[in-house]
Structure formats: C-alpha cells, structure tokens
Amino acid sequence: MKRLTKKQMWIFAIGQLGWSMLSGIISAWLVAFYLINKDVHDGGVPFLIPSGLIIGGFLTVLGLITALCRIWDAVTDPMVANMSDNCKSKNGRRIPFMRWSAIPFAIITVLVFFAPVSNPGDNFALNIAWVAVFLVLFYTAMTVYCTPYNALISEFGKTQEDRMYISTAISLTFFAGTLLAYTPFVFADMLRRAGVAYYWSYRICFIVLAVIALVCLLIPTFLLKETDFVEAKPAGTDAFKSLAATFKNKDFRVFSFSDIMYWVGMTLFQTGLPFFVTVSMHLDESMTMVLMGAMTVLSAVFYPLVTGLVKKFGKKKLVIAGFFGLALAYVITAISGIVCNDTNNMGLIFGIAICVIAAMPMALLGIIPQSIVADVAEADSIKTGEKREGMFFAARTFAMKFGQSVAMLSFTSLAIIGQAQDPTSNDISANPIGLMITALVAVAFCIAGAVILMFYREKSVMKTIAKEGDEAFIKAIENEKEPDEKGE
C-alpha cells in the first residue's frame, strides 16, 4: 500500500474544512437565528418558533429539539461506523459514504434555516416540525460523512510521523472552517444595510458557505483513491458486537473517560465565554470574538511544534500537560470575576492572560487525541484481526457529543446561581458567583481528565503498532512505566 504525500494529506484535510463549516453554521447560528433577542423582535422581526424557557421553566423548545437530536445522533454513530467497517465497495470502505453524503449534508444544513411559515403568530407547529426533522437529517448526514472520514486518519497514517501530520492538518482546517462559519456576523449586516430582509440576510450567507463547504467535502473523495492506500477488508461484525468489542479495549475505555472530561470542561468554558467576557471581566461583548480569534490564531502558531514535542515527551504526557494548562486558564477565568470591575480595566489583562495560557494546551489537545485513537484502533486490529477503525472513531465522537451535551445542559444551572431568571426571555442572566463556580467546575473536569489518562498504557500500544520510522516516538516513552507494572 502507498503512503500519502504531504500534498495528499492536505487534500484529505480539506474535507475537514468542509464539514467543520457546516457544523459551525449549526452550532454558531441555530440559537441566534431562531431565538432572536427582544430588541430584534421589537424591531418588527417575527419569532419563527416559540421563545422563552417554556419547557419545564428551564429549557426552550429549540433546546428540547437539540437534546432529542443528540440522542438520535448517539444511536446513528455506531450504526454508520459498522456499515462503513463492513462496506464491500470496490472504491473502499470510507470514500463511498463520504461522496454520497456530501450533497445532502450541504443542502440539509441550509434547509434547517428555512422554516416555512414566515409570520406564524401563535401557530408554530409547522415550523417546530420543520426544524426538528431537518436537524435530525443534519446530524444523520454529518455522521455518514464524518465517521468514515475520521476512520481514515488511522488508515492513511501509516507511520507516527504521518499520523501526527494528518492530525495537525485537520486540526488547522477545523479551526479555519469554524471561523468561516462566523463570517455572517459581518456579511449579514452588510446585506441588511443593502435592504435585504433580516432572515434572508443570514440565509444568503449560509447558502454561500454551504456551496464552498460542499466543494471542500467532495475534493478528497475524487482526488484520493482509498484503495491505493488502504487494504479495505470488511470487519465482518454486527454493530452491537463491534461496539461492545471496542469498549472491551481497556486503553480505549481509559482514553474515552478522559476525553469526556475534556469535552465537558472545554464546552463549559466555550459556552460561558460571552458571559465571562461581559460579566466577569466587564468587557464589551465584541471582545468575545476578539479573544476567541486571538486564542485560535495563537494556538495555530504552536501547531508545528507539536510533532517535535511528541517525539521528545510522548503523547500521554503532553495531553496531561494540556489538561493542566487549560485548568490554569480556567482558574484565572474564575479569579477574574473577583478582581475585575468597571473602573480598574483589569478585564483586558485577564483576557489576554487567558488567551496566552490556553493557546498551547488547545494545540496539544486539538491534535494529539485524534492520533491516540488511531493508535489504539490499529493496535486493536493487530491483536484481534478485526479492522474496526470506524467504530473506534464513532465511539470517540460519541464521547465528544456526550461531554458537550452534559456541559451545555448544566451550564445554565451553574451560571445563574444567585440570579433570578425571567422564564419568558431567551437571554440567560448570569451571576458572577455562578460564573466563578462554572469555571471551577471546568477546572475539576480537566484535572479529572488528566488523572484518568495516567492509566493509559501508551508504551504497550506504541510497541504493538511500531513500524520503521517510528523509532523517535518509541524512544520518547521507552523508560516509561506502565500503570499496571510492578517492576521496572
């Protein structure tokens, strides 16, 4: 089997640029589009679905729909992974899924924002049904593309050098796609100034982004021939047996529990960032984008250093260091609510400190975990003879979604501690004490993630999959003692 060239690795990474743009459109704009604030509504823009915390007094209709979609998403991940692992197409096990899901994926993303009744008054039923159906279809299409795509990280990465390079490339394109998804903040306003109606100003932006994303999704499916690089041997197991076998792997269980801790902590911070900026640091809301952009760019600067650091220290130590680095950033975030006020201008100093401290940990945790999953999946296939890379990455995706869901559902309860809420409003009134508690909870999850990962047997996994060219990576962990070793 051939190895990918560096150019081909970047062609592969363009697929991540496409799906991160579409995912970013939903994550950045679904709530902002459908749960418009009171000022926009009073300006003559109608609500398209019911507003306010009307489900049990703590959840919106959109929040309930999203939660149900996540449950559906958790079901489809292992199903698609198993279908991909067992695919017998002459074009490979992964590329056919990616190629045929790309167009529906892009179209469905746009249709999520085309609720059919433009001025529903009190009759929201059709719009609610529309959003619910197309969100389910969106998450299904994303799974059909992304699960096979992620499995190729392990299969295309023939050596540790290749695997780290691919992980770095797709991390960069992920950040680029996510940032592009935020561009309607600028262009929708320009369209409205030109006379375009409020909702259409965003829809036009989403259509343009979706077309660009579609091209990116298709590029690797037509420019890379999977069977030139991968022995596409079907796994031969059903979904439930494959999922059970995946979680029987001790090292993967350790990694997964650690990964859930990471995603809870990271999502608590990201969800709370606008509130940390405005309430804790007393900065203008516009600084949210500035600080997030600065953190992302600075993190990307560190990306080229990660492979060299892995060769020197190994993957496990660096991920643990990343956990503690993020924990430090979150501690500073918690302290900002005590120190900053409207008169001492300390908010900007704290914001810059958080960006600088979090940048390197974000680089480590943005690249290395994907490579660890690929390592564990390959080691498992060597030991069992079953090639279930798709299921390993589907299980990792489930850990990510589970962690994100826990964080998003718990954020509101934490952030409003000490603050009365208006159930008819879409806006959360965060309290400084609640935000400080939120940041400290994120710290606790990061520390828990670091402690759990200490039980990952990196040396055993790496020696199982070692190939020519991996000597530097093996040497970095040669003297490490495995967690369950009694002797040396």
Side-chain angles (χ1 to χ4, degrees), residues 410-423:
S410 60
F411 173 78
T412 304
S413 299
L414 293 170
I416 65 174
I417 291 175
Q419 186 82 26
Q421 300 297 304
D422 178 3

Side-chain angles (χ1 to χ4, degrees), residues 337-394:
I338 301 172
V339 176
C340 302
N341 56 52
D342 290 325
T343 60
N344 62 12
N345 296 319
M346 290 293 291
L348 184 59
I349 295 173
F350 271 83
I352 293 172
I354 292 166
C355 287
V356 172
I357 292 170
M360 186 61 181
M362 285 177 63
L364 297 174
L365 294 165
I367 295 173
I368 300 175
Q370 290 274 38
S371 179
I372 290 177
V373 179
D375 292 343
V376 175
E378 185 181 358
D380 186 83
S381 70
I382 291 171
K383 291 178 179 178
T384 65
E386 297 177 359
K387 295 180 69 62
R388 293 180 284 105
E389 292 87 354
M391 190 60 74
F392 276 94
F393 278 92

Side-chain angles (χ1 to χ4, degrees), residues 419-464:
Q419 186 82 26
Q421 300 297 304
D422 178 3
T424 65
S425 173
N426 297 321
D427 298 323
I428 297 173
S429 298
N431 184 279
I433 295 174
L435 290 173
M436 182 175 68
I437 292 171
T438 302
L440 293 176
V441 169
V443 170
F445 274 101
C446 285
I447 293 173
V451 172
I452 292 170
L453 195 65
M454 291 176 184
F455 294 91
Y456 170 60
R457 299 174 299 182
E458 181 179 19
K459 185 166 68 173
S460 174
V461 171
M462 293 291 285
K463 286 191 173 183
T464 301

Side-chain angles (χ1 to χ4, degrees), residues 83-374:
M83 287 190 289
S84 178
D85 284 341
N86 288 301
C87 180
K88 298 178 181 179
S89 170
K90 65 179 181 179
N91 295 319
R93 297 190 297 168
R94 318 300 182 189
I95 292 293
F97 285 85
M98 294 162 56
R99 184 177 295 171
W100 292 108
S101 63
I103 293 175
F105 188 11
I107 292 173
I108 290 166
T109 303
V110 173
L111 289 178
V112 168
F113 299 94
F114 275 79
V117 182
S118 59
N119 198 352
D122 293 326
N123 188 13
F124 294 105
L126 186 57
N127 284 356
I128 292 172
W130 178 279
V131 174
V133 168
F134 278 99
L135 271 182
V136 167
L137 293 174
F138 166 81
Y139 284 114
T140 303
M142 184 167 75
T143 297
V144 175
Y145 187 93
C146 296
T147 298
Y149 179 89
N150 287 330
L152 286 173
I153 298 171
S154 174
E155 297 173 325
F156 280 168
K158 303 295 186 185
T159 67
Q160 287 298 319
E161 194 84 41
D162 290 353
R163 200 162 282 174
M164 290 302 301
Y165 194 93
I166 291 171
S167 295
T168 301
I170 65 175
S171 294
L172 285 169
T173 51
F174 176 82
F175 278 129
T178 302
L179 287 175
L180 285 171
Y182 280 90
T183 55
F185 271 117
V186 176
F187 293 109
D189 183 62
M190 293 171 59
L191 289 171
R192 287 196 295 275
R193 291 175 187 272
V196 177
Y198 180 85
Y199 286 122
W200 270 101
S201 69
Y202 289 104
R203 287 167 175 160
I204 291 170
C205 293
F206 299 154
I207 291 169
V208 172
L209 287 172
V211 170
I212 297 170
L214 175 59
V215 173
C216 294
L217 292 173
L218 291 173
I219 282 175
T221 72
F222 286 101
L223 296 187
L224 297 176
K225 187 177 180 182
E226 181 183 342
T227 51
D228 285 348
F229 307 99
V230 179
E231 183 183 356
K233 178 184 175 183
T237 56
D238 66 47
F240 292 106
K241 288 182 179 178
S242 181
L243 184 62
T246 299
F247 277 104
K248 280 183 180 178
N249 186 301
K250 178 180 179 181
D251 294 300
F252 185 71
R253 289 201 308 272
V254 169
F255 171 81
S256 294
F257 289 132
S258 174
D259 206 36
I260 289 172
M261 300 299 107
Y262 163 68
W263 286 111
V264 174
M266 173 63 85
T267 307
L268 280 173
F269 177 73
Q270 289 181 333
T271 305
L273 187 59
F275 301 97
F276 293 133
V277 169
T278 57
V279 178
S280 299
M281 301 177 202
H282 297 269
L283 297 173
D284 186 83
E285 187 178 24
S286 62
M287 287 301 296
T288 302
M289 277 296 296
V290 173
L291 293 175
M292 179 60 81
M295 197 183 308
T296 302
V297 171
L298 185 57
S299 177
V301 170
F302 290 119
Y303 273 34
L305 304 177
V306 174
T307 298
L309 290 171
V310 170
K311 286 181 179 179
K312 188 171 183 180
F313 299 106
K315 297 177 184 178
K316 183 169 79 170
K317 282 183 179 178
L318 291 174
V319 174
I320 290 172
F323 273 120
F324 283 113
L326 281 186
L328 177 59
Y330 299 162
V331 168
I332 294 173
T333 303
I335 294 172
S336 69
I338 301 172
V339 176
C340 302
N341 56 52
D342 290 325
T343 60
N344 62 12
N345 296 319
M346 290 293 291
L348 184 59
I349 295 173
F350 271 83
I352 293 172
I354 292 166
C355 287
V356 172
I357 292 170
M360 186 61 181
M362 285 177 63
L364 297 174
L365 294 165
I367 295 173
I368 300 175
Q370 290 274 38
S371 179
I372 290 177
V373 179

